[in-house]
Amino acid sequence: MLTGGLLALLGGAVALTLVITSAAGPDQAGPLMATPTSTPTPTVTSPANPADTAPATVEPSIPAIPPPANLPVVNYDAAPGGFPADPDPMSTVRLREGLHPTAKVGAYDAPGGRPRAFLAPTLAGVPLTVPIVERKSGWAAVLLPSANRTVAWVPPGNWKTVPLRDQLVVERKTFRLTWLRDDKPVQTWRTTLGTRATPTPLGRTFVLGRSDLGDNVYADTDVFALGAVPDDPDAVPSGLRGAHIGLHTWYNDDTLGKNVTDGCIRITKSGQRKLLEEIIPGTSLVVVDKLPAPTPGPLTAG
């Protein structure tokens, strides 16, 4: 594991300082459990007209304005303003690719638009991978770290893609977290979520990294720090200002099915340890009130 910078996470009652680590970097996908599929037999058909054989139209690339050197670098603090809203924040469609900067890259408000900040290869000392939500003219729109329901546009160059097979979906009304791999449900756990004053933020976010706290309150189990932050920073205790939303376990399961946290998502110890084995940075997590259809499968007991 790679030890990174010091981070703050929303805890139960006190502010905590975290050392974030990365279990699997951009080139490590972790354990895989793919279901074998048969290879379709190719078929050959005659085109209906000559236009069917024409090459696909390539969308012209939009040039990027060179970003000023004095722009801020996105870090664990609140992200700079001026970025656009996520075009589909409540979508539960899996985000299949992440973007990992290989050098400092400009983050823009639109393809060919105004540069607002930089994304660096690491954030708080760990490799940064942000999910791609849209592509246009060679540019990629990614979920912006340290902000809620916000994207940044990144021009071509100085980044590579990371395949993302997993997705986490949290339902606030039913207190359920479902882990999906390749769009198929794997396991579901009961959760503890934020209070009315400090609700778990709705919308798409992602796993930023993990941290080894070495603390009994977290059942001596690593926590995930997410890209999301409290919707109302002033509503959380003053000692937690600047903290991120976390996904973690707790020293007991007494509060499962209740709204008692400062916005974090708690699951069982065995559930958290399973996700720590399987989930890589950049994996998307979407919080909804309730899915249109019931989550498949029963709740996992432990």
Side-chain angles (χ1 to χ4, degrees):
M1 295 192 295
L2 305 177
T3 302
L6 298 178
L7 306 181
L9 181 75
L10 290 174
V14 295
L16 297 172
T17 300
L18 308 190
V19 180
I20 258 192
T21 58
S22 176
D27 297 315
Q28 296 174 283
L32 303 180
M33 299 188 297
T35 302
T37 58
S38 59
T39 302
T41 303
T43 59
V44 179
T45 59
S46 299
N49 59 66
D52 292 335
T53 61
T57 302
V58 178
E59 192 174 15
S61 178
I62 299 176
I65 300 170
N70 62 350
L71 285 179
V73 177
V74 176
N75 56 27
Y76 206 68
D77 297 326
F83 289 100
D86 183 348
D88 197 0
M90 304 307 296
S91 172
T92 56
V93 175
R94 173 168 58 100
L95 301 177
R96 298 170 178 266
E97 286 185 309
L99 181 151
H100 170 64
T102 56
K104 193 165 68 170
V105 296
Y108 294 71
D109 58 12
R114 179 180 173 181
R116 299 282 184 172
F118 286 107
L119 291 176
T122 62
L123 191 154
V126 296
L128 176 66
T129 299
V130 285
I132 296 173
V133 303
E134 187 178 348
R135 289 178 180 266
K136 183 178 182 181
S137 301
W139 293 62
V142 301
L143 293 181
L144 187 66
S146 308
N148 294 345
R149 302 172 295 277
T150 303
V151 301
W153 284 91
V154 181
N158 293 325
W159 52 268
K160 63 181 181 179
T161 58
V162 179
L164 301 175
R165 298 181 58 201
D166 298 294
Q167 182 187 32
L168 302 173
V169 178
V170 175
E171 298 174 79
R172 297 199 307 188
K173 289 188 176 180
T174 56
F175 297 96
R176 295 165 77 99
L177 181 149
T178 300
W179 163 38
L180 301 98
R181 172 158 288 174
D182 299 327
D183 303 313
K184 297 179 180 179
V186 180
Q187 284 184 262
T188 298
W189 295 275
R190 197 152 178 81
T191 65
T192 304
L193 299 173
T195 66
R196 183 184 297 272
T198 58
T200 302
L202 290 167
R204 296 191 289 197
T205 184
F206 63 98
V207 173
L208 184 59
R210 58 184 282 176
S211 177
D212 177 8
L213 294 181
D215 195 320
N216 290 336
V217 73
Y218 293 100
D220 297 311
T221 302
D222 286 5
V223 307
F224 285 119
L226 305 180
V229 294
D231 278 328
D232 182 2
D234 294 332
V236 301
S238 59
L240 298 178
R241 305 285 164 80
H244 276 225
I245 302 298
L247 168 60
H248 57 80
T249 190
W250 202 239
Y251 67 95
N252 64 48
D253 294 336
D254 295 348
T255 61
L256 291 175
K258 298 179 181 179
N259 296 104
V260 299
T261 77
D262 289 308
C264 284
I265 303 159
R266 297 181 194 164
I267 60 173
T268 63
K269 179 177 178 180
S270 61
Q272 180 71 5
R273 291 189 170 181
K274 181 63 176 177
L275 292 180
L276 288 166
E277 293 173 357
E278 303 286 349
I279 299 301
I280 65 170
T283 297
S284 63
L285 181 151
V286 60
V287 179
V288 300
D289 272 329
K290 190 176 181 181
L291 292 172
T295 307
L299 285 167
T300 301

